[in-house]
Every structure is written in structure tokens, then in C-alpha cells.
Amino acid sequence: MPEMSSSAAGLETRLAAAEHAAREAGRLLLAYYGRRSQLVVEQKGLNDFVSIADREAEDTIAAILRPAFPQDEFLGEETGISGAQEADLVWCVDPLDGTSNFLKGAHNWCVSIGLWSKGEPILGVIYDPLRDELFAGADGIATTVNGMPISVSTTSSIDRTSLGLGHNHRVPPAAFAVDAERLFSAGGSFRQVGAGALMLAYVAAGRVDGYFERHMWSWDAVAGLALIKAAGGRFLTYPQPGTSLPKGGMVLASGPVLYQDFVDLFRIG
């Protein structure tokens, strides 16, 4: 029987299941990626797309996780909330983050599977099928990529940083412009690959020094934040007080050295 709690043994069991689910979803997505021109694409919102690839990938993940952990809740981008009501453990799943990149034949899309418990991201798996990179970690389980340990950046000055800076149409363009100006004025630079979950995995690996986005959905954020925590990083409470997990919220995450500098730079709090 699966473990019933977020104990160390329970997290190990769930981490193994999430890794398996991410790889299975990735295998399906790669098959669709090879014939993406044949996909029927729907537009959900401004620059927000979905296809059968997203939906079947989420179904694949759910078919693995739901029967194994019926006591857990499941929050998927495409299917919403299901499973146990008000459970202590909530799976937050984006079957395909970076759908626009995927549909255009670009790189930088991924599968994101996170686990959230009582106000904290506690487990994360992010899989990049094109590069065959699997990022995995949990509370008490160090973050790895393809089994090799990774850690967050130790850069100590903003004028030496590369920060992931995300934007979406839920946030006014003027707010993004102000954030970018503050970063540039402090001597920093920014990177964006079109997949926020993947950028958070890169923070965990020290490939970028941090990531800031004024609103991320939980299915995009929880896995990456758990990876960052297990890799020695820091982040804002997610979601922040006054909101709920399905509504998402602001994300700021980085290595511990510059975390407070970023909080001050973007005038958070």
C-alpha cells in the first residue's frame, strides 16, 4: 500500500511515481511533437493554447498518480481539481508548460509535477523530453538532474546576475516594464525561455540566479519551488496570504545570497 503521509518514506514513494509519470507523459508528448502540424489547437486566452497533446499528457499523469494515491487531491491545468476533497497533499500538474514553443517546433517545454502540503511545496519533478533532463527533489531529498546533485547559484551581486523574468497577460505590461527597468538599472540581465516551470528548474540547477513573475499558476510553480527548496534556495511564501492554491500568485525565488536583494529590488512586501 502507498504511504499515507508526507513522511520521508511517503515522499520517496511519491517522488518515484512522479518521475515515472513525467517520463510517460514526456514520451507521449514527443510522439505528438513529431506530428504537431496535424494537431487541432484551441486558444484558451491571450497567447494561451491547448491541444490534445496537453490533455492526453495530463490523463497519462493522472492515470498513474490518482490510483496510487487516492487520498491525495489532484489539481491539473486542463482538468482542474479532482480526487480527495481538502486533502493534506495536493498534486499540482502542468502536463505541458511551454505549449506555444511546443506547437511552433521550438525547444523549451516541459512536464511539471509538484506536490503541495499545508502551505508548502514539498516535492517537484520537471522533465524536459527534448533534452532528456529530469529534475527531481523533495523535502529531505536533494535535488538532482538525471541523478546528479545540483544546487542554486551563489552569485553575490545583482550586477553579475542573469534573472529569469516572466510575464503573462494577467499582469499589466507596465508592471513588467517597471520590473525590467529596476533590474537593468541595478546592472542585472534577464533570461526568458517561454516556460516558467523550466526556468524554475534552471534556478534549482544554478543555470540562472533567480526567477521573478508577478503571477504564476500553481501547476507551473509548485514543482519548481520544491526543487529550489531542496537545492538550497529561497522563495516567497506560495501562494501568498489572502489567496488560494488554485488562484496562484507571485513567484520570486533565488539562491539565498541574493534573495533579500531581489525582494528589495522589486519592492515586495
Side-chain angles (χ1 to χ4, degrees):
M1 292 289 293
E3 294 289 332
M4 299 296 287
S5 72
S6 58
S7 66
L11 284 184
E12 288 177 1
T13 301
R14 286 173 171 81
L15 185 61
E19 290 177 6
H20 172 58
R23 287 194 180 277
E24 288 301 304
R27 185 177 295 111
L28 180 147
L29 290 170
L30 279 175
Y32 274 120
Y33 187 72
R35 47 192 171 91
R36 58 191 174 275
S37 62
Q38 302 171 27
L39 294 175
V40 176
V41 179
E42 301 171 31
Q43 186 164 357
K44 299 190 293 182
L46 294 174
N47 207 31
D48 187 7
F49 306 97
V50 65
S51 76
I52 192 174
D54 305 69
R55 295 190 173 108
E56 288 194 3
E58 186 163 312
D59 288 345
T60 295
I61 295 166
I64 293 170
L65 297 182
R66 282 178 181 152
F69 311 107
Q71 69 276 23
D72 297 351
E73 197 167 5
F74 188 95
L75 175 58
E77 178 177 11
E78 308 307 334
T79 56
I81 297 175
S82 60
Q85 299 258 330
E86 299 182 359
D88 287 343
L89 300 174
V90 183
W91 293 100
C92 300
V93 175
D94 188 343
L96 175 52
D97 185 39
T99 299
S100 182
N101 288 341
F102 177 91
L103 293 172
K104 292 178 179 178
H107 289 190
N108 302 321
W109 48 272
C110 65
V111 179
S112 179
I113 302 175
L115 188 63
W116 185 87
S117 177
K118 301 176 182 178
E120 289 285 338
I122 62 169
L123 177 154
V125 172
I126 293 176
Y127 182 49
D128 178 348
L130 284 177
R131 298 178 178 89
D132 191 26
E133 286 192 323
L134 183 77
F135 301 82
D139 284 3
I141 303 172
T143 303
T144 61
V145 57
N146 293 348
M148 299 295 294
I150 55 177
S151 60
V152 295
S153 168
T154 58
T155 299
S156 59
S157 176
I158 288 180
D159 62 10
R160 297 177 59 194
T161 59
S162 294
L163 182 76
L165 196 58
H167 178 259
N168 56 70
H169 290 283
R170 297 181 298 278
V171 176
F176 177 80
V178 169
D179 292 333
E181 182 179 12
R182 286 172 176 160
L183 179 63
F184 293 152
S185 296
S189 64
F190 83 85
R191 304 287 184 269
Q192 181 51 265
V193 301
L198 195 58
M199 290 296 289
L200 290 175
Y202 288 175
V203 174
R207 298 179 185 177
V208 291
D209 299 298
Y211 188 76
F212 179 55
E213 187 165 346
R214 289 200 171 268
H215 183 272
M216 288 185 77
W217 296 117
S218 55
W219 45 78
D220 292 326
V222 169
L225 294 177
L227 292 175
I228 290 165
K229 180 166 62 169
R234 294 184 63 189
F235 53 87
L236 290 177
T237 299
Y238 184 90
Q240 292 183 290
T243 186
S244 64
L245 192 64
K247 292 182 179 179
M250 183 183 295
V251 168
L252 173 64
S254 74
V257 178
L258 281 179
Y259 175 76
Q260 188 59 49
D261 291 331
F262 286 132
V263 169
D264 295 340
L265 179 69
F266 294 115
R267 302 180 186 179
I268 296 168

